[in-house]
Amino acid sequence: MNNDLPPADLRVFCAVVRASSFSKAAEGLGMSPAYVTKRIRLLEEQLGTVLFHRTTRRVVVSEAGERAYHWAQRILDDVDHLVEEVGVTRHEPRGLLRICSSFGFGRRVVAPALSAFAARYPAVQVRFEVFDRLVDVAAEGYDLDVRVGDDIAPHVIARKIASNHRVLCAAPSYLEARGTPRTLAELAAHDCLVIKERDHPFGVWRMRRAGQEHTVKVLGPLSANNGEMVVQWAVDGRGIILRSAWDVGPLIAEGKLVQVLSQYRQEANIWAVYPSRLNSSAKVRVFVEFLESYLAASAPPVQGL
């Protein structure tokens, strides 16, 4: 076996693993599928093993490929850290930064922050993706997950970058027609618009009041996995929502939504979550510090409710 493994081939290999596709990996890397296939074939020859099981429909990582992926990530991270420690990035961060977040917060908050970050640090290339599920940053190849919610796995590093909570609210038209709930238990008799959040069970709202946790099971005629759609339904008078203060703060200030049961809230702070192996990464540190300052400057007034 040839012990000289080019980092470029390891990056191609990791891209194929994450995409589960040669063609999608090639598209993401800006390479031709034929070139990606060639690099993987040469890597398999160097390692003396099969890294992928190929079918007409999909690419599946072999057992040896899983082990190789684990080591390839460590090697590439070490290469990046070497450059950061002794190269020009010690003063000017550079390289690829892979970031993910949730749909709504990612679009409304993280994306504008990334635009400002790119203007300040042009040597950093950012790849940003949004999901409606919790992402395992270590296993899925991301450097950072900007997460709303306090459900954090123990094997990652989590830094709180902004305080936040979810509040209950509804349109004035809905409250006029159906009445305003006076207790949390009364929500069971109301039309509640449920969002499939990344960090709590569907249709189960856990709230805190005076340090005590309370749980209510809610139902309603409409539900979705996209918060922006559900917020619009609430504005249209379709029901009560539990939504992040970052999202509904402006609507409450404008009178389009009214907060109900204001003594209850659900903690959902904003975190930067990243693998422990990236704890000393300069580009991760710089972005986290930048985002923390960005969020502090743009916090909605409803945060104090």
Side-chain angles (χ1 to χ4, degrees):
M1 180 180 70
N2 185 350
N3 290 328
D4 184 14
L5 300 176
D9 285 357
L10 295 180
R11 293 189 189 279
V12 171
F13 166 63
C14 289
V16 175
V17 173
R18 289 192 289 267
S20 296
S21 166
F22 280 63
S23 59
K24 290 181 180 179
E27 182 180 356
L29 293 169
M31 302 173 178
S32 70
Y35 181 81
V36 169
T37 300
K38 177 182 178 181
R39 300 321 304 176
I40 295 299
R41 178 176 55 80
L42 291 174
L43 187 59
E44 288 179 324
E45 290 177 359
Q46 287 177 298
L47 293 174
T49 189
V50 175
L51 299 173
F52 298 99
H53 299 302
R54 303 162 177 81
T55 69
T56 57
R57 294 185 177 182
R58 58 184 304 195
V59 173
V60 180
V61 185
S62 68
E63 184 177 346
E66 291 281 2
R67 295 196 301 271
Y69 179 62
H70 170 76
W71 282 103
Q73 286 191 109
R74 291 185 59 178
I75 292 169
L76 293 174
D77 287 336
D78 286 343
V79 171
D80 290 341
H81 291 165
L82 170 64
V83 175
E84 289 176 346
E85 286 297 321
V86 302
V88 294
T89 54
R90 188 171 185 176
H91 304 288
E92 179 66 21
R94 65 176 59 238
L96 177 63
L97 189 60
R98 297 155 293 189
I99 301 173
C100 62
S101 189
S102 58
F103 280 134
F105 193 75
R107 186 190 72 82
R108 295 183 64 254
V109 179
V110 182
L114 286 172
S115 179
F117 178 79
R120 182 175 299 183
Y121 299 100
V124 178
Q125 296 174 302
V126 176
R127 291 184 182 172
F128 181 50
E129 296 186 60
V130 293
F131 298 94
D132 64 347
R133 60 177 176 82
L134 287 175
V135 173
D136 187 335
V137 288
E140 298 184 49
Y142 290 96
D143 300 319
L144 183 73
D145 180 13
V146 182
R147 185 174 302 178
V148 179
D150 294 359
D151 184 15
I152 310 294
H155 67 281
V156 295
I157 295 174
R159 173 172 169 176
K160 181 180 172 182
I161 55 177
S163 297
N164 182 53
H165 55 269
R166 297 185 179 110
V167 298
L168 294 161
C169 52
S173 60
Y174 175 84
L175 298 176
E176 289 172 7
R178 297 290 302 276
T180 301
R182 302 301 178 186
T183 67
L184 200 64
E186 290 181 17
L187 289 177
H190 277 267
D191 290 339
C192 294
L193 307 173
V194 181
I195 305 167
K196 183 182 178 183
E197 296 283 2
R198 302 200 304 172
D199 66 324
H200 62 81
F202 183 81
V204 177
W205 288 354
R206 295 191 177 101
M207 313 289 292
R208 296 191 69 85
R209 176 185 179 182
Q212 297 294 317
E213 184 171 286
H214 304 267
T215 301
V216 60
K217 175 67 176 178
V218 298
L219 297 171
L222 295 169
S223 63
N225 67 340
N226 182 283
E228 292 177 314
M229 295 188 297
V230 177
V231 169
Q232 184 57 55
W233 290 339
V235 172
D236 293 341
R238 300 293 177 260
I240 299 173
I241 59 171
L242 174 63
R243 193 63 179 155
S244 171
W246 279 88
D247 197 6
V248 297
L251 296 171
I252 293 175
E254 294 170 15
K256 294 181 179 179
L257 292 175
V258 177
Q259 189 175 2
V260 299
L261 297 171
S262 58
Q263 66 271 38
Y264 291 93
R265 65 173 59 186
Q266 183 184 87
E267 292 300 315
N269 297 302
I270 301 165
W271 301 82
V273 179
Y274 47 96
S276 57
R277 68 177 189 272
L278 295 181
N279 189 36
S280 61
S281 170
K283 60 189 177 184
V284 170
R285 184 189 69 253
V286 166
F287 176 72
V288 171
E289 292 173 351
F290 176 89
L291 186 59
E292 187 172 19
S293 297
Y294 182 92
L295 294 178
S298 57
V302 77
Q303 287 284 315
L305 291 179

